[in-house]
Amino acid sequence: MDLRYYNTTINPVGLVSPAREKYVRDVHEHLKWVHRTTSGRILLNSIRRPNFPIEIRPHPTAVCNAVGGSERKPGAASLTGVITYTPFTFSSHGSCAVDHAMEKAGRLWDEILFHELVHVFRAATGSWNQAPQLTFGMRQYDDNEEFIAVLCTNIYVSDRTNKIKSGLRAGHQGFGAMTPQDARRFGLFTSSKAAFGLVKQFCADNPIFTKALSDKLADVEYNPIADFYRYPKLCELLSTIGGLTDKAKMIDALVAVGIPRPVAAQFVMLAP
Ligand SMILES: [Zn+2]
């Protein structure tokens, strides 16, 4: 993968040799894994802009995290896309290592990188928007931008040209696996009321990218974007079931904190 073509720099800031060279080598390798896939090339080509350079640099702290977005460099007229990403922290002995075998969905190096690249893409296209409200059954996504990044990375995981992968990720809180119910076809739209509207808005914000994901990956295991483009009316209708799912999940959450089920049900059913 030609980094210059994608206006991308790997900056090993803060590292000393030989860690510097290793960092550049490793990140370039993980970018190549992304670039080898259909969905990865769709994403990288959608981000690529002559006036929007991208910098990938180590995450500034050893905490388990990676960040994607944009920043304005001093004196620069335009924004720079930024990813802070340290592959080692996501290794089995790094700070993101977890003993729990269930906590590994979406956690491979290239999957982390793809997720952050989706954030950069949203920043590059001026569509970054954390404001839209998630409904109760989607609260595991934290906010709209994380929902979009997790959704796209799950399509990347489903992409058949992506040969080494973990599994579908349930949300943005941890790396737990998606439930079979949510993973089945149209499962996203029946999981919560707001899902339909958020997917619709994402497709309106970024039509070229989302149509490419829909057309080129139409028959993969998990692609709610393709389902939205093919069956918009059905997806909208299913969001009514999503509303009922929200209520059922809300009742379960109240029961979990000790409220008797009939009382919890009454609260939720009386809510607007
Ligand atoms: Zn994120």
Side-chain angles (χ1 to χ4, degrees):
M1 182 195 157
D2 182 354
L3 292 175
R4 275 169 308 177
Y5 178 79
Y6 287 100
N7 205 358
T8 297
T9 310
I10 301 169
N11 179 4
V13 59
L15 299 176
V16 289
S17 291
R20 288 178 69 80
E21 291 74 17
K22 180 173 167 39
Y23 181 81
V24 173
R25 227 171 28 240
D26 286 355
V27 174
H28 196 178
E29 180 66 18
H30 302 156
L31 279 170
K32 281 187 211 162
W33 296 352
V34 171
H35 186 255
R36 246 173 242 152
T37 67
T38 300
S39 47
R41 284 193 300 277
I42 291 171
L43 177 59
L44 289 165
N45 289 328
S46 302
I47 296 173
R48 184 175 162 257
R49 278 165 177 69
N51 60 348
F52 189 83
I54 298 166
E55 181 182 297
I56 304 177
R57 61 185 187 231
H59 196 63
T61 64
V63 295
C64 172
N65 203 358
V67 169
S70 63
E71 67 186 15
R72 194 175 297 277
K73 301 269 187 202
S78 57
L79 292 171
T80 296
V82 174
I83 291 176
T84 65
Y85 162 74
T86 304
F88 176 75
T89 57
F90 293 95
S91 304
S92 56
H93 301 291
S95 62
C96 292
V98 276
D99 298 331
H100 207 288
M102 303 298 285
E103 286 281 316
K104 61 180 183 183
R107 213 172 59 96
L108 294 183
W109 293 324
D110 56 315
E111 293 165 353
I112 297 287
L113 204 49
F114 188 97
H115 176 110
E116 302 310 334
L117 283 165
V118 174
H119 287 321
V120 170
F121 164 69
R122 293 278 293 170
T125 53
S127 6
W128 183 268
N129 186 4
Q130 290 171 297
Q133 287 290 306
L134 306 185
T135 31
F136 193 78
M138 297 182 75
R139 66 199 185 288
Q140 74 277 13
Y141 289 105
D142 287 337
D143 65 47
N144 180 49
E145 289 304 328
E146 296 303 346
F147 165 63
I148 288 169
V150 172
L151 169 66
C152 294
T153 308
N154 279 335
I155 295 170
Y156 173 70
V157 165
S158 297
D159 183 345
R160 287 194 197 92
T161 62
N162 178 4
K163 302 290 184 197
I164 299 169
K165 55 183 88 182
S166 58
L168 300 178
R169 186 180 175 191
H172 185 244
Q173 297 167 359
F175 292 92
M178 189 179 274
T179 63
Q181 198 177 359
D182 285 357
R184 70 186 175 186
R185 197 149 183 218
F186 300 109
L188 172 66
F189 300 103
T190 60
S191 72
S192 195
K193 189 168 177 53
F196 169 77
L198 296 177
V199 170
K200 186 179 177 185
Q201 185 59 50
F202 175 36
C203 293
D205 289 345
N206 303 118
I208 296 170
F209 174 66
T210 52
K211 274 190 190 128
L213 280 186
S214 169
D215 293 348
K216 305 277 184 199
L217 297 135
D219 59 345
V220 299
E221 176 201 352
Y222 183 85
N223 191 345
I225 293 174
D227 290 334
F228 168 77
Y229 274 117
R230 279 196 213 165
Y231 307 104
K233 290 282 170 216
L234 174 61
C235 294
E236 186 170 17
L237 202 60
L238 291 175
S239 73
T240 310
I241 297 176
L244 298 175
T245 312
D246 287 325
K247 290 193 170 177
K249 286 177 180 171
M250 222 179 277
I251 293 170
D252 287 346
L254 289 169
V255 170
V257 295
I259 295 177
R261 188 166 287 275
V263 179
Q266 210 170 19
F267 272 147
V268 171
M269 291 311 167
L270 288 175

